[in-house]
Amino acid sequence: MLNTETMRPRGPIVIDIENITKHYVMGEETVHALRGVTLQIHRNEYLAIMGPSGSGKSTLMNMLGCLDTPSSGRYEFNGKDVSAMDDDELAAIRNREIGFVFQTFNLLPRATSLRNVELPLIYAGIDPVTRQERAAQTLRDVGLGERLLHKPNELSGGQRQRVAIARALVNNPSIILADEPTGNLDSKTGEEIMALLENLYQAGNTIILVTHEADIAHHARRTVHLRDGLIESDALSEATEIQTLAFT
Amino acid sequence: MRFREIITMAVISLGANKLRSALTMTGITIGVFSVISVMTAIGALQTSIESGISFLGSNIFQFAKYPANVNAGGRAQKKYENRHNISYRQALKYYELMEGNAREICLKSFDFKGQAVYNGMKTTPSLTVAGSNKSFLVANSYTLAYGRNINDEDVAFSRSVIVVGKAVEKRLFPHESPIGRTIKLNGHNFTIIGGMAEKGTAFGQSQDDICVIPITRFFENFGESNRTVNIATQSFSQELYNTTLDKGMGAMRIARGLRAEQENDFELYSNDSLKSAFESIAGVVRIGAFVISLIALVAAGIGIMNIMLVSVTERTKEIGIRKSIGARSRDILRQFLTEAVFISEAGGVLGIIFGVIGGDLLALWLKANLIFPFGWALAGLIVCSAIGIGFGFYPAYRAARLDPIDALRFE
Ligand SMILES: Nc1ncnc2c1ncn2[C@@H]1O[C@H](COP(=O)(O)OP(=O)(O)O)[C@@H](O)[C@H]1O
Ligand SMILES: [Mg+2]
């Protein structure tokens, strides 16, 4: 059987986690958010992490994005052991290698779109002129060329998410992590955002998408199902198979 | 991250809470203002004194019961109060001993405040009435504008004659010459024989609300028993000043009836002693201003710390966002520290500006030279930075230490 994934050259491994666990101690009780997750993600993949609410999707995503640290297990990012990294190295990875897109956008409310998108470049130490040019160009790329000087409260939900995506993209990260990016949007706007992610994927970006909606997940080429902190299944998604059928 | 970037961020964040930032700043402004204004005023007075304002006329020294700096308080105060007054008789004895050894010897009693009346018009009720002799004008740097001065005969016969200051003339005789007129001074008649030229104000007080009458007449009209006489002596020249002072000291001890082993029971005033008296008062005021502003600055620093802690809590989400896109802990630390230092410095700069203006206005009023206290201003800025860093560090450290995920989850 022919498969688009196999037709597309698989990139090197970006994310390699093995037996990752995460538990939270809350008084007497211990919540096991992740119970031992093993996963490899290659460059140029488009992966969806699915599962019911509370299954550990966000926990896993934050771990992959070096925002959170696992209770146990091994994590290598681009071949480097993340657990051995200090605060500065983690910050550098978040700044240069990872672009986060959140359900609630997480923009700075008092800053303009341009300023919000410039922020990662500021922390990367890029000079103001280059920075502004790149931020403006990235905003144009996501279709917000007319909204550079608007503040988040002057933008619609979809536009805010585009700003957030531009911010995630602006430093040319290795992967884009999107945690329920359409969760706060109506379905039409959600589809527009998904189309934008599809474009980014086609342009060669690596995308990891968290969602609990099958409609959203079918945009991805590979789907990992989580349940109670464990991987239940890891397979090429239906869309891919449909595409695959179309090719045969 | 670049310095300019950090400053921009601080300005934006502080601008978002203008009122709060301004109020926090005010504490620092008040603290800096109090120290800078006092230091400016004292500095201005000091340069004026050093550059030639004399308390006394040239080559003059003076003996009196109390020292210039009487508010010594406590036991010292008692010591002066228990002293006998310098009586007119003792003063005359001194006069006798010193006659021929000095150019002028001015005996005066001028602790009395009165009010002069003429034709229904009145002077201020706190007119300085000096009982003295012919040397009063020279000893106190007044000049005669018209008429004649008090002479030895006026004193010998305790005549009811009076030499008036400019303010008295202006109030009582706006349209006529005062010479020969009779005015009532606290119920006693005096004939005006002369008037003094205008002298202006010194240390905020008019020096023209004054009149001089023969010291003998002064005692007859206003009483002698509780009064002490001040004795000002002018040497013939600068060269003779010290010799004259030595002689004066001896004469004074004889006049006071002191035995060899007894210490002086009177005070010597010279320009030097007055300068050092001013210095010691200035020193006390300086320490006072210093302590007050230190307290104000510590209070203001605590205010900054409080506001920064509130700010860190309010902006937890922002900190989470910044960390999620690559801010290092030290970037966050610097950002919050800069905000604290910025508030403190801005408050400090305002305090310096207002303080210099306030201090110089005071100096202007006291007819002293204007100055800009560079040293104190610089010290102010350094202290403000220290306060910003000192009180801003803990909040900034808390911000920097926040866990990215916990901060992002914060609502
Ligand atoms: N900071 C935390 N403290 C305690 N429990 C947490 C924390 N974060 C997540 N959890 C728990 O871990 C489990 C997985 O959460 P999460 O990863 O957010 O799930 P999902 O994103 O799939 O809905 C849930 O039971 C949740 O309550
Ligand atoms: Mg979630």
Side-chain angles (χ1 to χ4, degrees):
Chain A
M1 183 167 92
L2 217 88
N3 182 314
T4 45
E5 289 306 307
T6 50
M7 288 170 67
R8 215 180 142 109
R10 263 197 157 185
I13 292 174
V14 186
I15 285 173
D16 185 0
I17 59 174
E18 195 183 318
N19 223 4
I20 287 279
T21 71
K22 179 76 183 181
H23 56 256
Y24 299 100
V25 181
M26 305 188 67
E28 300 281 284
E29 250 179 286
T30 304
V31 180
H32 293 275
L34 296 175
R35 295 166 188 272
V37 173
T38 301
L39 191 64
Q40 289 186 335
I41 301 169
H42 296 255
R43 191 171 288 279
N44 297 335
E45 267 198 288
Y46 190 171
L47 174 91
I49 299 174
M50 280 199 74
S53 184
S55 56
K57 305 185 296 293
S58 296
T59 306
L60 177 58
M61 187 67 119
N62 294 334
M63 213 78 78
L64 298 182
C66 298
L67 279 173
D68 209 350
T69 45
S71 305
S72 70
R74 188 179 56 83
Y75 178 15
E76 280 181 13
F77 188 94
N78 277 337
K80 271 189 271 177
D81 185 5
V82 172
S83 65
M85 291 183 187
D86 64 16
D87 181 75
D88 282 5
E89 288 173 294
L90 289 174
I93 292 227
R94 292 195 289 261
N95 185 239
R96 299 201 168 85
E97 307 290 349
I98 289 161
F100 250 112
V101 179
F102 301 93
Q103 177 175 352
T104 53
F105 321 132
N106 282 347
L107 300 173
L108 294 188
R110 286 189 295 267
T112 60
S113 308
L114 191 64
R115 180 87 188 157
N116 264 296
V117 177
E118 274 183 64
L119 222 49
L121 302 178
I122 290 176
Y123 289 119
I126 291 170
D127 73 276
V129 178
T130 318
R131 192 171 82 205
Q132 282 207 356
E133 271 170 19
R134 261 171 70 181
Q137 185 54 49
T138 312
L139 278 164
R140 279 193 286 273
D141 292 347
V142 299
L144 281 182
E146 310 288 296
R147 297 284 185 280
L148 298 187
L149 299 180
H150 288 57
K151 293 189 177 159
N153 63 2
E154 297 158 353
L155 298 171
S156 71
Q159 289 171 329
R160 286 182 213 185
Q161 198 58 300
R162 282 168 195 269
V163 176
I165 291 173
R167 184 181 63 187
L169 280 174
V170 74
N171 220 1
N172 295 323
S174 301
I175 54 174
I176 291 170
L177 301 180
D179 190 350
E180 313 254 14
T182 61
N184 277 17
L185 304 174
D186 60 70
S187 53
K188 184 172 166 288
T189 318
E191 280 304 323
E192 284 169 23
I193 293 299
M194 292 319 292
L196 179 57
L197 289 180
E198 178 65 30
N199 286 343
L200 295 176
Y201 170 63
Q202 296 296 350
N205 285 287
T206 312
I207 295 172
I208 304 176
L209 170 73
V210 159
T211 183
H212 61 272
E213 295 176 64
D215 286 356
I216 299 298
H218 81 247
H219 290 272
R221 303 300 188 273
R222 175 183 166 197
T223 306
V224 169
H225 278 269
L226 274 188
R227 183 175 293 275
D228 291 337
L230 284 169
I231 291 184
E232 197 181 41
S233 67
D234 180 352
L236 300 180
S237 50
E238 288 164 35
T240 315
E241 278 161 21
I242 290 163
Q243 270 181 12
T244 312
L245 285 174
F247 272 97
T248 50
Chain B
M1 218 168 37
R2 286 145 188 267
F3 183 68
R4 235 191 64 191
E5 238 13 280
I6 301 176
I7 296 288
T8 315
M9 275 188 193
V11 172
I12 291 173
S13 309
L14 294 174
N17 268 312
K18 289 192 188 64
L19 181 63
R20 194 158 87 179
S21 308
L23 289 176
T24 312
M25 225 169 75
T26 309
I28 296 284
T29 304
I30 290 170
V32 173
F33 169 82
S34 60
V35 73
I36 293 290
S37 60
V38 169
M39 297 312 169
T40 305
I42 289 180
L45 284 177
Q46 218 158 15
T47 48
S48 299
I49 286 164
E50 271 151 23
S51 69
I53 286 187
S54 297
F55 290 93
L56 300 171
S58 56
N59 304 331
I60 290 179
F61 57 89
Q62 187 172 312
F63 293 113
K65 179 183 172 187
Y66 292 111
N69 185 7
V70 259
N71 349 339
R75 258 214 311 235
Q77 178 91 39
K78 256 281 162 330
K79 168 180 149 192
Y80 301 124
E81 275 169 5
N82 286 340
R83 276 180 179 171
H84 292 293
N85 288 331
I86 300 174
S87 69
Y88 185 51
R89 242 170 35 144
Q90 290 171 340
L92 282 179
K93 178 78 184 169
Y94 175 88
Y95 194 100
E96 217 172 87
L97 291 168
M98 289 298 287
E99 218 176 356
N101 289 316
R103 173 175 287 152
E104 304 274 356
I105 301 170
C106 166
L107 312 180
K108 61 179 170 176
S109 182
F110 67 139
D111 58 351
F112 185 73
K113 300 287 180 194
Q115 184 172 39
V117 183
Y118 175 76
N119 213 1
M121 286 176 286
K122 293 173 178 168
T123 64
T124 162
S126 57
L127 178 68
T128 299
V129 180
S132 189
N133 59 8
K134 63 181 182 211
S135 299
F136 182 86
L137 297 189
V138 173
N140 294 281
S141 308
Y142 284 97
T143 49
L144 194 69
Y146 52 86
R148 70 167 178 86
N149 189 4
I150 288 170
N151 61 29
D152 289 340
E153 279 173 24
D154 295 330
V155 175
F157 301 118
S158 59
R159 285 178 183 146
S160 293
V161 293
I162 189 165
V163 176
V164 294
K166 194 71 187 175
V168 178
E169 180 197 331
K170 278 184 183 161
R171 291 298 295 259
L172 303 186
F173 304 97
H175 307 300
E176 50 186 325
S177 162
I179 292 286
R181 308 280 168 204
T182 299
I183 59 173
K184 251 194 174 34
L185 182 64
N186 286 42
H188 302 280
N189 286 329
F190 285 90
T191 306
I192 297 175
I193 53 172
M196 293 173 244
E198 186 161 0
K199 199 171 169 185
T201 54
F203 299 101
Q205 273 183 318
S206 162
Q207 301 184 87
D208 296 310
D209 277 319
I210 191 168
C211 61
V212 191
I213 58 177
I215 188 166
T216 44
R217 172 61 33 206
F218 181 88
F219 287 139
E220 276 175 38
N221 286 359
F222 306 118
E224 184 178 354
S225 57
N226 281 324
R227 298 222 139 79
T228 181
V229 180
N230 283 8
I231 305 166
T233 310
Q234 184 179 40
S235 66
F236 283 108
S237 66
Q238 175 88 57
E239 291 73 43
L240 285 172
Y241 180 84
N242 283 334
T243 331
T244 312
L245 181 57
D246 288 344
K247 279 184 189 157
M249 208 49 123
M252 198 60 198
R253 286 182 62 86
I254 293 168
R256 291 288 267 172
L258 296 176
R259 287 184 306 265
E261 74 279 6
Q262 282 177 301
E263 43 172 303
N264 290 345
D265 61 352
F266 53 87
E267 296 298 320
L268 167 72
Y269 286 53
S270 59
N271 276 327
D272 284 347
S273 77
L274 287 177
K275 258 181 206 171
S276 65
F278 171 81
E279 283 300 330
S280 72
I281 294 172
V284 171
V285 174
R286 267 203 197 104
I287 291 170
F290 208 76
V291 169
I292 288 170
S293 63
L294 209 67
I295 293 169
L297 286 176
V298 168
I302 292 169
I304 289 183
M305 188 155 168
N306 182 41
I307 282 300
M308 291 312 295
L309 284 171
V310 170
S311 175
V312 169
T313 306
E314 282 177 354
R315 288 155 66 193
T316 301
K317 181 102 180 173
E318 173 193 326
I319 295 162
I321 294 173
R322 288 179 185 275
K323 285 199 161 185
S324 76
I325 57 171
R328 294 166 303 180
S329 291
R330 68 164 161 262
D331 292 325
I332 303 292
L333 184 87
R334 262 187 227 153
Q335 181 186 347
F336 280 86
L337 212 47
T338 307
E339 284 179 29
V341 172
F342 197 92
I343 290 183
S344 188
E345 284 292 352
V349 168
L350 278 184
I352 289 169
I353 292 172
F354 290 145
V356 170
I357 291 174
D360 273 338
L361 280 179
L362 195 67
L364 209 61
W365 183 59
L366 298 177
K367 300 228 152 133
N369 306 335
L370 304 188
I371 61 156
F372 185 89
F374 281 104
W376 287 104
L378 190 70
L381 290 180
I382 292 171
V383 167
C384 284
S385 301
I387 286 173
I389 293 170
F391 288 93
F393 187 82
Y394 177 64
Y397 173 73
R398 282 214 352 197
R401 221 187 40 179
L402 281 174
D403 181 67
I405 273 298
D406 291 344
L408 263 180
R409 283 230 182 84
F410 185 86
E411 288 302 336

